[in-house]
Amino acid sequence: NAGVIQTPRHKVTGKGQEATLWCEPISGHSAVFWYRQTIVQGLEFLTYFRNQAPIDDSGMPKERFSAQMPNQSHSTLKIQSTQPQDSAVYLCASSLDLWHSQNTLYFGAGTRLSVL
Amino acid sequence: GEQVEQRPPHLSVREGDSAFITCTYTDPNSYYFFWYKQEPGASLQLLMKVFSSTEINEGQGFTVLLNKKDKRLSLNLTAAHPGDSAAYFCAVSAPGGNYKPTFGKGTSLVVHP
């Protein structure tokens, strides 16, 4: 079990460019979460999926952020027209079953996005 | 929705001292409580998971206290050592389906030799 895999580990983009972040959840896990981590804001919830269906995207900045889960083995977070304030570590996590709130979240190592 | 406040944001202690981190939450229906540890450059890993029915939970070198009346969750690292230096996050969730856990903002702990 390789755990949650996030790629790339580091991404540098210029202001206005697009960034796509990838996440491969643990096999068999039905829930996938995306978080953004910064020193100032801590861990911010962005969105989550259950069985590939989007359940809650209340944390997503509406205009430039989008997330998809086209199959059970990967999810993507896309940021269009990146801005310096998007610079953060983006964390993906998976959980065995969303319907059991006692379940542990397993986090990937994160993607550090730097927008110049 | 649920609000979780974690204090302090930064904590510096000497080796052998205790380190105390507290989270307060707002939803009285909260039932599951988690502490995650994030070592520098690494991902968050579960430290302990506790249920609402248990007020004191002991791990290796730490104790988790749950005060349901005050809606407070605490992590006490007893006799901290430099290997405990990390960021610690609490998370809270209510029972039932379709949840998302609510995280505190984290505490950055430094244990000096």
Side-chain angles (χ1 to χ4, degrees), chain B residues 45-66:
Chain B
Q45 305 251 333
L46 181 71
L47 187 65
M48 177 169 273
K49 174 170 63 179
V50 303
F51 300 103
S52 183
S53 57
T54 309
E55 293 189 345
I56 300 176
N57 300 267
E58 303 218 1
Q60 195 167 5
F62 61 90
T63 303
V64 172
L65 304 171
L66 178 62

Side-chain angles (χ1 to χ4, degrees), chain A residues 29-103:
Chain A
H29 282 194
S30 61
V32 173
F33 299 77
W34 284 96
Y35 290 87
R36 177 168 63 183
Q37 185 177 22
T38 61
I39 293 174
V40 174
Q41 296 295 333
L43 209 58
E44 294 178 279
F45 166 79
L46 294 175
T47 186
Y48 74 87
F49 298 83
R50 181 176 182 265
N51 290 332
Q52 302 172 231
I55 302 296
D56 182 347
D57 66 354
S58 60
M60 294 274 275
K62 294 303 180 191
E63 291 186 352
R64 299 181 294 105
F65 284 59
S66 62
Q68 294 183 326
M69 192 161 183
N71 57 60
Q72 62 186 5
S73 64
H74 88 273
S75 174
T76 58
L77 178 69
K78 183 180 291 186
I79 308 171
Q80 295 178 312
S81 186
T82 54
Q83 303 297 311
Q85 61 265 30
D86 299 331
S87 297
V89 176
Y90 289 82
L91 296 172
C92 177
S94 70
S95 177
L96 187 58
D97 190 337
L98 183 60
W99 292 103
H100 295 92
S101 54
Q102 63 178 297
N103 286 329

